[in-house]
Amino acid sequence: MKKSFVCSLALTIIDQVIKLLISRYYMTSNIVMLSGILTFQPVQNTNLNWIASITNYKTPVFLMIIIQIIASTVIVLLNRYLTYLWIQGKKLINGMLIFFIAGIMCSFIDVTFWGGSLDFLLLFDWFTFDFKDVYLNIGFAFLLFYYANYYIKSYHKMSKAERKQTGIWIWIKKGMPSMSIK
């Protein structure tokens, strides 16, 4: 867990240093990186989250911070539960943890210090994003890879009784251990 936090912190620092440089020197830049696909075009997103940006809703800062705290807690608990289910998938789950926590930390800093996210990469003409968004998507990809591998290599081979023992309520009753006790 400690190494995961250090990696998350490093990714967060990378994101924030890039945003500092952009805000200081490149806010008015418009650089085509891949013609028609990717453009460097900084914009300050003050809606504070993706859904709010789509609906043009101004999310209160306090609500966004509460959402970030809940999301961090859920991710840490999910890490423990999924490691409990299948210890062989621990590397995938640690990857998920690193990128989700980095994305949430970047979001927290964006909300509290930037007043919103400094997005700077325009994909096609669809949306502008930053590394925080990339981190969250990579975390989600790790989670999908975990589930696919877990299902193929472990879950579908279990009996009905064994599957029942992997339920989340059973895990909670056991005290939320990070490893399966067999």
Side-chain angles (χ1 to χ4, degrees):
M1 183 78 90
K2 190 176 182 180
K3 286 182 185 177
S4 296
F5 180 75
V6 170
C7 290
S8 294
L9 185 61
L11 290 171
T12 302
I13 290 169
I14 290 168
D15 175 77
Q16 294 303 308
V17 166
I18 288 170
K19 287 177 181 176
L20 283 170
L21 292 172
I22 291 170
S23 70
R24 186 155 201 169
Y25 302 109
Y26 302 104
M27 275 307 288
T28 58
S29 297
N30 190 347
I31 303 166
V32 175
M33 299 169 82
L34 294 171
S35 184
I37 299 172
L38 192 65
T39 306
F40 176 83
Q41 187 175 352
V43 62
Q44 184 71 29
N45 179 353
T46 58
N47 290 328
L48 305 185
N49 67 58
W50 183 69
I51 294 171
S53 292
I54 290 173
T55 60
N56 202 24
Y57 171 74
K58 182 75 171 157
T59 307
V61 172
F62 182 73
L63 176 62
M64 198 61 209
I65 291 171
I66 296 295
I67 291 169
Q68 293 162 342
I69 290 168
I70 291 169
S72 297
T73 303
V74 167
I75 292 301
V76 170
L77 290 175
L78 184 64
N79 175 280
R80 288 184 67 86
Y81 176 63
L82 296 178
T83 302
Y84 163 80
L85 285 181
W86 190 51
I87 192 71
Q88 290 82 3
K90 189 171 176 71
K91 287 184 181 180
L92 289 171
I93 291 306
N94 284 342
M96 176 208 69
L97 180 71
I98 288 166
F99 284 99
F100 272 141
I101 294 298
I104 293 168
M105 286 191 322
C106 291
S107 177
F108 177 79
I109 293 168
D110 289 351
V111 167
T112 54
F113 298 108
W114 291 93
S117 182
L118 176 58
D119 296 332
F120 51 88
L121 296 170
L122 175 65
L123 183 64
F124 300 109
D125 257 345
W126 297 344
F127 57 88
T128 308
F129 63 97
D130 62 352
F131 286 162
K132 165 194 70 257
D133 300 318
V134 173
Y135 297 161
L136 293 170
N137 284 305
I138 291 172
F140 187 70
F142 271 104
L143 182 60
L144 289 177
F145 285 133
Y146 169 88
Y147 271 120
N149 278 294
Y150 171 65
Y151 182 78
I152 291 167
K153 295 178 181 176
S154 187
Y155 186 79
H156 86 283
K157 296 177 184 177
M158 292 179 188
S159 69
K160 206 172 206 177
E162 289 173 320
R163 287 180 184 174
K164 193 174 183 178
Q165 290 301 311
T166 64
I168 195 158
W169 296 115
I170 302 286
W171 174 70
I172 290 170
K173 286 179 184 177
K174 289 180 180 179
M176 297 189 277
S178 61
M179 286 196 241
S180 182
I181 303 165
K182 293 188 180 190

